[in-house]
Amino acid sequence: MPKFTVTFMCSECGAESLRWAGQCPACHAWNTLQEFQVRKALSGRSRSISAQRGQAVEPTGARPVPLSEIEPDSAPRQPLAWGELNRVLGGGIVPGSLVLVGGEPGVGKSTLLMHAAQQIASSGGRVLYASGEESPQQIRLRAARLGPLSPRILLLAENDLDAICEAIRAESPRLAIVDSIQTVTDAGFEGGAGSVTQVRESAARLMRLAKEIGVPIFLVGHVTKEGAIAGPRVLEHIVDTVLYLEGDRRQELRILRATKNRFGSADEIGVFAMGEAGLEEVSDPSAALLGNAAVASPGAAVVAALEGTRPLLIEIQSLVNKVNNNYPPRRIASGMDINRLLMLIAVIEKRASVSLGQSDIFVNVAGGIRITEPAADLGLALAILSNTRDKPLPDGLVVIGELGLAGEVRRVGQLDRRLQEAARHGLTRALIPAGARAGRHAGLEIVEVRTLAEAISAAHLSHMRSGELIKEPEVSVP
Ligand code: TYD
Ligand code: MG
């Protein structure tokens, strides 16, 4: 039995604390400090810390080397059949890397990794799929839906970390998958599967193993309802790469988003669609997103948002409902930050002189996508105004621009990429920030706007009195 020291860690922010407290001293969340054990140092403090963190430890006696003499990435990446997956990984799987694939239960993590396994198998590599989540029969059933069953995919139904590590060592596969990290237990530590100690120690051990034998390991991690990978955010510090699979289970689109990548860009996304035979890559997500766009309905606007290096045309929908009661109006945002929405509502009220204090406002980003970019501000504001005035935005319009508190339309990065995407998908008119110096794009008329007010008139929403045309719901007053 190894010697332990006991520490506490916040399951929200990953901060460590020597004593238990009701409130995390770092992020001030309540009741999030959980006990966990750390193996005592083997030799020297720094060595143990980097080893605990799962980082590669330099052998003692390493000497400084001139940067120019360092060999470039020696081990080639292993590309997968899907460009969407390679993009998120930074070009393929790096040997010896530890990759965390997080997401809510049921979003499609096991399905995605089984696809990856089949792609490696069909290019002649062996894959070890260790699962403590499902029975071998269930896994076989899923794999058979996705493609032909390959003898090169080895299944290990096991929760015990020792057994999993032993199998990875013995088989030395081209890829190992552990589904999920929350079901794995290290017998050397106390605590049940999924506890902070177990999740953290198991991941750190798998990290050391991956580095030692050069086998890439993918971990599945379920996300708790708070949004952190269960077992704390610390898991994110341990692994090389963190990918989140997002999407609405009831819709088909899935976004795989890199939030950390030691071997590539950390804000790339890959887009997939879930269907009868598992996932498919979607190499033209704008087409998929616009395909469902409600034609010219009041409250809908198309924006061009950047995800990583890639522009996406996304439809935003809004619903503004006048209510006759004394409750504070409701503001509900799905697919975007609620605080951003509240700010935009304030800007609209002030700068477009529209009163929204008696209206519930709902906004929704179509396709289950999440917009994190201020470049969608102006589009969202016009969507809200369009619904308020019950008048659709002109056909073929794309709206690009950040909205400042003074109602000014601010410039956004990579404007031409966005415009190019809009032109490519047959949109005909773009509202863009004034002075942004856009290039020419065939078929796309470009209209520069300086303020929200100018955008309103360019979008033909202005020739109505402000605040009018909100249909009064019929209420029967007792
Ligand atoms: P799964 O990969 O088991 O999710 P996770 O591992 O993230 O918990 O995927 C589960 C969902 O995906 C399930 O609701 C059914 C759906 N699905 C399909 O729609 N088509 C398919 O071919 C497969 C395999 C799953
Ligand atoms: Mg699963």
Side-chain angles (χ1 to χ4, degrees):
M1 279 285 264
K3 289 252 187 318
F4 305 123
T5 53
V6 170
T7 320
F8 297 89
M9 176 173 299
C10 172
S11 60
E12 279 289 299
C13 71
E16 293 181 25
S17 164
L18 290 176
R19 269 179 298 276
W20 187 84
Q23 188 180 24
C24 169
C27 72
H28 308 299
W30 286 96
N31 294 322
T32 53
L33 286 194
Q34 296 183 35
E35 179 183 309
F36 79 101
Q37 304 156 343
V38 179
R39 227 177 275 256
K40 274 202 176 142
L42 300 170
S43 65
R45 186 178 146 70
S46 61
R47 184 185 170 89
S48 85
I49 286 175
S50 37
Q52 285 161 21
R53 297 239 147 127
Q55 288 155 359
V57 179
E58 282 300 318
T60 39
R63 256 176 284 126
V65 189
L67 202 50
S68 55
E69 282 173 26
I70 291 173
E71 294 282 325
D73 217 355
S74 50
R77 287 165 191 258
Q78 153 109 18
L80 292 155
W82 282 343
E84 291 295 300
L85 207 43
N86 291 332
R87 176 210 309 274
V88 180
L89 287 166
I93 302 177
V94 176
S97 62
L98 187 66
V99 177
L100 175 66
V101 178
E104 288 178 11
V107 71
K109 301 178 294 296
S110 304
T111 306
L112 180 71
L113 292 184
M114 186 52 85
H115 277 293
Q118 290 185 339
Q119 290 171 15
I120 300 243
S122 66
S123 68
R126 269 179 330 135
V127 180
L128 180 71
Y129 194 113
S131 177
E133 291 260 323
E134 295 158 302
S135 70
Q137 288 70 28
Q138 276 176 304
I139 296 169
R140 181 190 195 278
L141 203 65
R142 177 189 297 110
R145 261 171 96 173
L146 310 185
L149 295 173
S150 165
R152 282 189 287 271
I153 301 179
L154 309 171
L155 184 67
L156 178 69
E158 184 60 79
N159 295 321
D160 179 55
L161 186 63
D162 287 325
I164 293 172
C165 289
E166 221 166 273
I168 296 176
R169 222 180 253 285
E171 299 294 340
S172 190
R174 206 179 288 172
L175 172 67
I177 294 166
V178 177
D179 188 358
S180 67
I181 190 68
Q182 278 101 356
T183 55
V184 168
T185 46
D186 183 336
F189 287 94
E190 287 173 7
S195 67
V196 181
T197 304
Q198 289 291 355
V199 166
R200 184 186 145 101
E201 286 300 322
S202 305
R205 235 178 103 185
L206 288 165
M207 180 71 164
R208 289 193 292 271
L209 179 65
K211 294 282 172 285
E212 185 191 328
I213 62 176
V215 170
I217 303 178
F218 279 26
L219 302 179
V220 169
H222 294 296
V223 168
T224 59
K225 57 181 181 319
E226 291 85 24
I229 289 215
R233 286 219 171 256
V234 170
L235 213 46
E236 300 184 0
H237 301 308
I238 293 174
V239 302
D240 294 309
T241 300
V242 180
L243 310 179
Y244 279 102
L245 190 59
E246 304 169 354
D248 187 336
R249 277 174 63 176
R250 288 151 300 178
Q251 299 196 21
E252 59 171 25
L253 278 191
R254 298 285 182 280
I255 309 285
L256 186 65
R257 189 185 295 277
T259 59
K260 165 181 176 178
N261 196 349
R262 287 192 181 140
F263 309 111
S265 158
D267 52 11
E268 285 296 350
I269 64 161
V271 185
F272 304 88
M274 181 68 89
E276 282 297 300
L279 291 161
E280 260 174 53
E281 63 174 339
V282 178
S283 359
D284 188 356
S286 293
L289 287 167
L290 288 185
N292 296 332
V295 259
S297 63
V302 174
V303 300
L306 265 196
E307 285 286 0
T309 54
R310 147 199 263 189
L312 280 187
L313 299 176
I314 303 172
E315 188 197 22
I316 296 181
Q317 301 166 337
S318 74
L319 189 63
V320 181
N321 249 352
K322 189 139 189 173
V323 283
N324 289 333
N325 56 35
N326 291 325
Y327 299 110
R330 285 185 295 170
R331 276 83 177 86
I332 294 178
S334 135
M336 68 168 299
D337 179 27
I338 181 76
N339 291 318
R340 195 84 198 163
L341 172 64
L342 296 178
M343 188 210 88
L344 289 175
I345 292 173
V347 173
I348 293 171
E349 292 206 286
K350 191 92 179 176
R351 307 293 166 196
S353 308
V354 175
S355 161
L356 296 168
Q358 296 294 313
S359 303
D360 288 342
I361 299 180
F362 307 88
V363 301
N364 177 40
V365 179
I369 297 258
R370 201 177 158 74
I371 293 187
T372 50
E373 247 209 328
D377 286 354
L378 184 61
L380 182 62
L382 291 185
I384 291 173
L385 284 161
S386 151
N387 197 262
T388 308
R389 296 178 177 178
D390 205 11
K391 187 163 192 255
L393 292 171
D395 242 1
L397 182 75
V398 60
V399 186
I400 303 168
E402 181 180 342
L403 210 46
L405 290 180
E408 81 279 19
V409 178
R410 308 176 71 101
R411 288 184 220 168
V412 302
Q414 316 233 29
L415 181 64
D416 275 313
R417 298 184 84 136
R418 303 175 201 255
L419 293 172
Q420 198 180 0
E421 183 78 353
R424 198 163 73 83
H425 287 88
L427 298 182
T428 49
R429 197 151 185 254
L431 298 194
I432 66 163
R437 260 184 291 167
R440 266 198 235 140
H441 300 273
L444 194 63
E445 180 201 354
I446 295 200
V447 182
E448 297 195 7
V449 289
R450 271 174 302 178
T451 59
L452 176 60
E454 281 188 22
I456 290 172
S457 87
H460 308 313
L461 290 177
S462 58
H463 57 271
M464 295 189 183
R465 269 181 288 115
S466 54
E468 67 173 5
L469 268 183
I470 304 168
K471 291 215 180 75
E472 301 282 338
E474 292 193 355
V475 272
S476 49
V477 184

